[in-house]
Coordinates of all heavy atoms in Angstrom, one line a residue:
N1 N -154.9 177.7 28.3 CA -155.8 178.4 27.5 C -155.1 178.9 26.3 O -154.0 179.4 26.4 CB -156.6 179.5 28.2 CG -157.4 178.9 29.3 OD1 -157.9 177.8 29.2 ND2 -157.7 179.8 30.4
D2 N -155.8 178.9 25.1 CA -155.4 179.4 23.9 C -154.1 178.8 23.3 O -153.3 179.5 22.6 CB -155.2 181.0 24.0 CG -156.5 181.8 24.3 OD1 -157.5 181.3 23.7 OD2 -156.4 182.6 25.1
T3 N -153.8 177.5 23.7 CA -152.7 176.7 23.1 C -153.5 175.4 22.8 O -154.6 175.2 23.2 CB -151.7 176.5 24.2 OG1 -152.1 175.6 25.1 CG2 -151.2 177.8 24.7
N4 N -152.8 174.5 22.2 CA -153.2 173.2 21.9 C -152.9 172.2 23.1 O -153.0 171.0 23.0 CB -152.6 172.6 20.6 CG -153.3 173.4 19.5 OD1 -154.3 174.0 19.5 ND2 -152.6 173.3 18.3
V5 N -152.4 172.8 24.2 CA -151.9 171.9 25.3 C -153.3 171.6 26.0 O -153.7 172.4 26.8 CB -150.9 172.5 26.2 CG1 -150.6 171.7 27.4 CG2 -149.7 172.8 25.4
D6 N -153.8 170.4 25.8 CA -155.0 169.9 26.4 C -154.9 168.4 26.4 O -155.7 167.8 25.5 CB -156.2 170.4 25.6 CG -157.5 170.3 26.3 OD1 -157.5 169.9 27.6 OD2 -158.5 170.6 25.8
Y7 N -154.2 167.8 27.2 CA -153.7 166.3 27.1 C -153.8 165.7 28.5 O -153.6 166.3 29.5 CB -152.3 166.3 26.5 CG -152.2 166.7 25.1 CD1 -151.5 167.9 24.8 CD2 -152.8 165.9 24.1 CE1 -151.5 168.4 23.4 CE2 -152.7 166.4 22.7 CZ -152.0 167.6 22.4 OH -151.8 167.9 21.1
P8 N -153.8 164.4 28.4 CA -153.6 163.5 29.6 C -152.2 163.5 29.9 O -151.2 163.7 29.0 CB -154.1 162.1 29.2 CG -154.1 162.2 27.7 CD -154.3 163.5 27.2
I9 N -151.9 163.4 31.2 CA -150.5 163.2 31.6 C -150.4 161.8 32.2 O -151.2 161.2 32.8 CB -150.2 164.1 32.8 CG1 -150.4 165.6 32.4 CG2 -148.7 163.9 33.3 CD1 -150.1 166.6 33.5
V10 N -149.3 161.1 31.7 CA -149.1 159.7 32.1 C -147.7 159.6 32.8 O -146.8 160.4 32.7 CB -149.1 158.8 30.8 CG1 -150.4 158.6 30.4 CG2 -148.3 159.4 29.7
Q11 N -147.6 158.4 33.4 CA -146.2 158.0 34.0 C -146.0 156.5 33.9 O -146.9 155.8 34.4 CB -146.1 158.5 35.4 CG -144.6 158.2 36.0 CD -144.6 158.7 37.5 OE1 -144.5 157.9 38.4 NE2 -144.7 160.0 37.7
S12 N -145.0 156.1 33.3 CA -144.7 154.7 33.1 C -144.1 154.2 34.4 O -143.2 154.8 35.0 CB -143.8 154.3 32.0 OG -143.5 153.1 32.0
A13 N -144.7 153.1 34.9 CA -144.1 152.3 36.0 C -142.8 151.6 35.8 O -142.1 151.4 36.8 CB -145.1 151.5 36.7
K14 N -142.5 151.4 34.5 CA -141.4 150.5 34.3 C -140.3 151.2 33.4 O -139.1 150.8 33.5 CB -141.9 149.3 33.4 CG -142.9 148.4 34.2 CD -143.3 147.3 33.4 CE -144.3 146.4 34.2 NZ -144.8 145.2 33.3
D15 N -140.6 152.2 32.5 CA -139.7 152.8 31.6 C -140.0 154.3 31.4 O -141.0 154.6 30.7 CB -139.8 152.1 30.3 CG -138.9 152.5 29.2 OD1 -138.0 153.4 29.6 OD2 -138.9 152.2 28.0
D16 N -139.1 155.2 31.9 CA -139.2 156.5 31.8 C -139.4 157.0 30.4 O -140.0 158.1 30.2 CB -138.2 157.3 32.5 CG -138.4 157.4 34.0 OD1 -139.6 157.2 34.5 OD2 -137.5 157.6 34.8
S17 N -138.7 156.4 29.4 CA -138.7 156.8 28.1 C -139.8 156.2 27.2 O -140.0 156.5 26.0 CB -137.4 156.4 27.4 OG -137.2 155.0 27.4
F18 N -140.7 155.4 27.8 CA -141.8 154.7 27.0 C -142.7 155.7 26.3 O -143.0 155.6 25.1 CB -142.7 153.8 28.0 CG -143.8 153.1 27.3 CD1 -143.5 151.9 26.6 CD2 -145.0 153.7 27.4 CE1 -144.5 151.2 26.0 CE2 -146.1 152.9 26.7 CZ -145.7 151.7 26.1
Y19 N -143.1 156.7 27.0 CA -144.0 157.6 26.4 C -143.4 158.7 25.5 O -144.1 159.5 25.0 CB -144.9 158.3 27.5 CG -145.9 157.3 28.2 CD1 -145.7 156.8 29.3 CD2 -147.1 156.9 27.4 CE1 -146.6 155.9 29.9 CE2 -147.9 155.9 27.9 CZ -147.8 155.5 29.2 OH -148.6 154.6 29.7
L20 N -142.2 158.6 25.3 CA -141.5 159.4 24.2 C -142.1 159.0 22.9 O -142.2 159.9 21.9 CB -140.0 159.2 24.2 CG -139.2 160.0 25.2 CD1 -137.8 159.5 25.2 CD2 -139.2 161.6 24.9
K21 N -142.5 157.7 22.7 CA -142.9 157.3 21.5 C -144.2 156.4 21.5 O -144.4 155.6 20.7 CB -141.8 156.4 20.8 CG -140.5 157.2 20.4 CD -140.9 158.3 19.3 CE -139.6 159.0 19.0 NZ -139.8 160.1 18.0
H22 N -145.0 156.6 22.6 CA -146.2 155.9 22.7 C -147.4 156.9 23.2 O -147.1 157.8 23.9 CB -146.0 154.8 23.7 CG -145.2 153.7 23.2 ND1 -143.8 153.8 23.3 CD2 -145.5 152.6 22.6 CE1 -143.3 152.6 22.7 NE2 -144.3 151.8 22.3
K23 N -148.5 156.6 22.7 CA -149.7 157.4 23.1 C -150.1 157.2 24.5 O -150.0 156.1 25.0 CB -150.9 157.1 22.1 CG -150.6 157.5 20.7 CD -151.9 157.2 19.8 CE -151.7 157.7 18.4 NZ -153.0 157.3 17.6
A24 N -150.7 158.2 25.1 CA -151.3 158.0 26.4 C -152.6 157.3 26.4 O -152.8 156.5 27.3 CB -151.5 159.4 27.0
E25 N -153.4 157.4 25.4 CA -154.7 156.8 25.4 C -154.7 155.3 25.4 O -155.4 154.7 26.1 CB -155.5 157.3 24.2 CG -155.9 158.8 24.3 CD -154.7 159.8 23.9 OE1 -153.6 159.2 23.5 OE2 -154.9 161.0 24.1
D26 N -153.8 154.7 24.6 CA -153.8 153.2 24.5 C -152.4 152.7 24.4 O -152.3 151.4 24.1 CB -154.7 152.8 23.3 CG -154.1 153.4 21.9 OD1 -153.0 154.1 22.0 OD2 -154.7 153.3 21.0
K27 N -151.4 153.4 24.6 CA -150.1 152.9 24.7 C -149.5 152.5 23.3 O -148.5 151.7 23.2 CB -149.9 151.8 25.7 CG -150.1 152.2 27.2 CD -149.7 151.0 28.0 CE -149.9 151.4 29.5 NZ -149.4 150.3 30.4
S28 N -150.3 152.8 22.2 CA -149.8 152.4 20.9 C -148.7 153.3 20.5 O -148.4 154.5 20.9 CB -151.0 152.5 20.0 OG -151.5 153.9 19.8
W29 N -147.8 152.8 19.6 CA -146.7 153.5 19.1 C -147.1 154.8 18.4 O -148.0 154.9 17.7 CB -145.8 152.8 18.1 CG -144.6 153.4 17.8 CD1 -143.3 153.3 18.4 CD2 -144.3 154.4 16.7 NE1 -142.4 154.0 17.9 CE2 -142.9 154.8 16.8 CE3 -145.1 155.0 15.8 CZ2 -142.4 155.7 16.0 CZ3 -144.5 155.9 14.9 CH2 -143.1 156.2 15.1

């Protein structure tokens, strides 16, 4: 509450660093 933290949480099955530079919604860069 009262922050902009309102997001999906993801976990890559293949690469822990994948979501450092990819969106959760569609895996786009």
Side-chain angles (χ1 to χ4, degrees):
N1 294 336
D2 298 319
T3 72
N4 290 342
V5 178
D6 193 6
Y7 293 108
I9 301 176
V10 285
Q11 184 180 109
S12 173
K14 298 179 179 179
D15 181 5
D16 279 339
S17 64
F18 179 79
Y19 287 106
L20 278 170
K21 295 297 181 181
H22 291 84
K23 292 181 179 180
E25 291 78 8
D26 58 7
K27 296 186 178 182
S28 62
W29 189 91

